[in-house]
């Protein structure tokens, strides 16, 4: 049973009339804590401020100035833990896509409303509200400093985890993606989202990439000696592509390791790719000339994806997990997935689907002829020492169930 007094609502819409209407509807349903805002900036101030701490935001997508999608990005930055209801005059498809975008940011969406808003539909969505789950540590994510990260790097607290990339057609393990973790003495295993940007802003990203790549290449060589020939993928930050020595450092490390560049995959995230122009382009092209494999990561989440594809000779395209999981049952996702797939095909790139979480995702890749799969359905990222054991179990699974 919904406890109405626990719901602290913020309604954000640029139309004063709409705000009035919403506040009336909510009041008549028995929701008494309602704050009204007509623009994103004021709303953010309200949320950050000492006062109201909303745990449900009714958000209009179409606003002049800061639109709803941009507003959501800011919510992510301030670690908003409450829920959202999206409101728009746009068509169903648009709302579904927006909902997906928000969910990709791990914010809970109770649903969406078309304008004009109908009270019964609003009430139905309100009833889905549940109190935000308090994760430990509560509400604010820990923010690490560059100094802390430097110490961690100097004392070998960064460890590589590896997630398999497998052939959809045969089940064969073709490669691994390296995903760095911070084995923190007090906080446990810290995920990269909490420290990669710290590395970028404090000038540590080149050193970090160097460490990750060195570890990964050594590991690949060890597996090679154990008879496993794998492609080894490493994530590259946009900031790595700012200085021209990057080409030398990658190719020197690779030469020393004895792993041929054809088996080294550099995954670049598209959304960060668009910012600058010349240096990244030159660096990526030179790496490609040296036969490294270039992969465009999180495809579909950036803004200028098509321009990037035109300008940079990528070998591999990774369809973002947001368009893969549930794509078999959701029309919009499915359309995005299939479009990305056919685009990659036409450009002669290999396609990896990320976020393959269950059997229905896997079956869709099979039916549509996707090349590679990666995701929890196959395996979570794991420490190097678990890998050989996993390979054996995976072979069993392939021969029995896939
Ligand atoms: P990414 O390159 O897109 O990596 C995939 C992320 O999705 C990983 O998160 C992985 O654990 C997660 N994942 C894998 N399978 C599934 C699935 O089936 N479902 C879901 N929901 N998630 C799945 P992780 O390890 O937390 O890494 C996050 C991001 O951090 C990576 O995204 C990458 O952009 C960045 N990153 C990781 N290692 C490095 C690094 O060494 N250097 C740089 N610059 N960035 C890194
Ligand atoms: Mg990646
Ligand atoms: Mg990705």
């Amino acid at each position: 049973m919904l406890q109405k007094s626990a719901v602290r609502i913020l309604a954000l819409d640029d139309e004063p009339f709409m705000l009035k209407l919403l506040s009336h509807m909510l009041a008549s349903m028995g929701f008494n804590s309602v704050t009204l805002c007509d623009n994103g900036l004021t709303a953010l101030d309200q949320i950050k401020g000492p006062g109201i701490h909303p745990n449900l935001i009714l958000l209009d997508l179409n606003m002049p100035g800061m639109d709803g999608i941009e507003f959501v990005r800011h919510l992510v930055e301030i670690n908003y833990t409450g829920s959202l209801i999206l409101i728009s005059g746009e068509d169903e498809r648009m709302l579904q896509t927006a909902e997906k975008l928000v969910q990709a940011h791990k914010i809970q969406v109770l649903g969406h409303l078309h304008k004009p808003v109908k009270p019964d539909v609003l009430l139905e969505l309100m009833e889905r509200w549940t109190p935000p789950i308090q994760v430990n540590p509560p509400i604010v994510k820990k923010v690490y400093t560059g100094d802390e990260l430097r110490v961690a790097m100097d004392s070998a607290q960064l460890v590589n985890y590896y997630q398999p990339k497998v052939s959809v057609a045969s089940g064969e393990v073709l490669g691994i993606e390296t995903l760095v973790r911070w084995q923190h003495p007090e906080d446990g295993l810290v995920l990269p989202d909490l420290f990669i940007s710290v590395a970028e802003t404090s000038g540590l990203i080149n050193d970090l990439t160097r460490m990750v790549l060195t570890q990964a290449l050594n590991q690949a060589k060890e597996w090679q000696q154990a008879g496993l020939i794998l492609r080894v993928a490493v994530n590259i930050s946009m900031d790595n592509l700012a200085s021209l020595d990057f080409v030398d450092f990658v190719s020197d490390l690779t030469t020393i390791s004895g792993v041929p560049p054809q088996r080294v995959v550099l995954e670049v995230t598209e959304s960060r790719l668009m910012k600058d122009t010349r240096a990244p382009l030159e660096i990526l092209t030179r790496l490609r000339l040296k036969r490294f494999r270039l992969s465009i990561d999180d495809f579909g989440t950036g803004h200028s994806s098509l321009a990037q594809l035109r300008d940079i000779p990528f070998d591999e395209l990774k369809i973002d997990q947001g368009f893969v999981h549930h794509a078999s049952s959701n029309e919009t996702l499915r359309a995005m997935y299939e479009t990305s797939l056919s685009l990659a095909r036409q450009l002669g790139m290999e396609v990896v689907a990320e976020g393959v979480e269950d059997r229905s995702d896997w079956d869709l890749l099979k039916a549509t002829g996707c090349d590679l799969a990666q995701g929890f359905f196959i395996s979570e990222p794991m420490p190097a020492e678990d890998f050989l054991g996993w390979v054996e179990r995976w072979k069993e699974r392939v021969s029995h169930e896939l």
Side-chain angles (χ1 to χ4, degrees), residues 223-234:
W223 285 326
Q224 193 171 302
Q225 281 155 0
L228 267 181
I229 308 294
L230 298 167
R231 283 190 203 146
V232 48
V234 169

Side-chain angles (χ1 to χ4, degrees), residues 120-132:
D120 51 330
V121 188
L122 174 61
L123 183 61
E124 202 186 305
L125 295 187
M126 296 297 295
E127 279 168 351
R128 296 184 190 167
W129 183 87
T130 51

Side-chain angles (χ1 to χ4, degrees), residues 25-280:
M25 285 184 193
L26 290 164
S28 67
M29 291 170 194
F31 294 98
N32 296 317
S33 168
V34 182
T35 309
L36 306 177
C37 277
D38 66 3
N39 71 83
L41 283 176
T42 323
L44 285 171
D45 285 342
Q46 292 270 10
I47 298 167
K48 284 190 281 193
I52 51 171
H53 295 297
N55 48 28
L56 172 62
I57 299 175
L58 306 185
L59 173 64
D60 179 23
L61 287 176
N62 317 73
M63 294 183 288
M66 188 191 296
D67 65 40
I69 299 294
E70 191 186 347
F71 179 76
V72 168
R73 269 222 322 275
H74 290 290
L75 284 182
V76 175
E77 277 162 20
I78 59 175
N79 297 311
Y80 173 69
T81 55
S83 311
L84 274 184
I85 291 176
L86 304 177
I87 306 176
S88 174
E90 303 284 340
D91 64 11
E92 176 69 17
R93 242 208 46 235
M94 177 67 206
L95 273 161
Q96 270 193 26
T97 310
E99 201 173 314
K100 205 62 218 168
L101 266 170
V102 177
Q103 280 161 352
H105 286 304
K106 310 271 187 312
I107 291 182
Q108 201 196 3
V109 190
L110 304 184
H112 54 256
L113 293 168
H114 293 274
K115 286 184 183 178
V117 173
K118 298 196 185 72
D120 51 330
V121 188
L122 174 61
L123 183 61
E124 202 186 305
L125 295 187
M126 296 297 295
E127 279 168 351
R128 296 184 190 167
W129 183 87
T130 51
I133 297 159
Q134 297 289 339
V135 277
N136 251 345
I139 309 173
V140 272
K141 285 195 216 150
K142 183 152 177 187
V143 179
Y144 295 98
T145 66
D147 288 342
E148 287 173 297
L149 183 59
R150 176 82 261 173
V151 172
M153 286 164 62
D154 290 344
S155 43
Q157 287 171 18
L158 296 195
V159 287
N160 286 351
Y161 270 47
Y162 300 97
Q163 189 178 36
K165 288 165 136 175
V166 304
S167 155
V168 176
S170 67
E172 193 187 347
V173 184
L174 297 181
I176 43 96
E177 175 176 6
T178 310
L179 295 158
V180 67
R181 271 98 182 86
W182 177 355
Q183 188 62 66
H184 194 284
E186 280 120 43
D187 303 344
L189 202 64
V190 180
L191 293 177
D193 287 337
L194 286 184
F195 62 89
I196 292 297
S197 56
V198 178
E200 286 168 348
T201 50
S202 38
L204 295 171
I205 193 68
N206 276 336
D207 283 353
L208 184 143
T209 304
R210 195 186 296 264
M211 291 174 108
V212 170
L213 183 63
T214 309
Q215 235 185 81
L217 289 168
N218 288 337
Q219 193 53 60
K221 201 168 158 195
E222 226 173 85
W223 285 326
Q224 193 171 302
Q225 281 155 0
L228 267 181
I229 308 294
L230 298 167
R231 283 190 203 146
V232 48
V234 169
N235 289 286
I236 297 301
S237 156
M238 216 30 227
D239 295 17
N240 289 134
L241 302 179
S243 67
L244 292 172
D245 11 332
F246 186 70
V247 178
D248 295 328
F249 108 51
V250 171
S251 72
D252 290 350
L253 284 177
T254 305
T255 309
I256 296 167
S257 75
V259 177
Q262 292 88 327
R263 270 193 253 135
V264 178
V265 184
L266 304 170
E267 295 192 6
V268 189
T269 299
E270 176 207 25
S271 53
R272 281 182 238 150
L273 234 166
M274 52 186 204
K275 266 197 239 151
D276 196 0
T277 43
R278 287 220 342 259

Side-chain angles (χ1 to χ4, degrees), residues 177 235 267 269 297-299 318-321 354:
E177 175 176 6
N235 289 286
E267 295 192 6
T269 299
D297 207 347
D298 302 337
F299 185 76
K318 296 188 80 173
I319 305 178
D320 190 69
Q321 52 193 46
E354 298 186 272

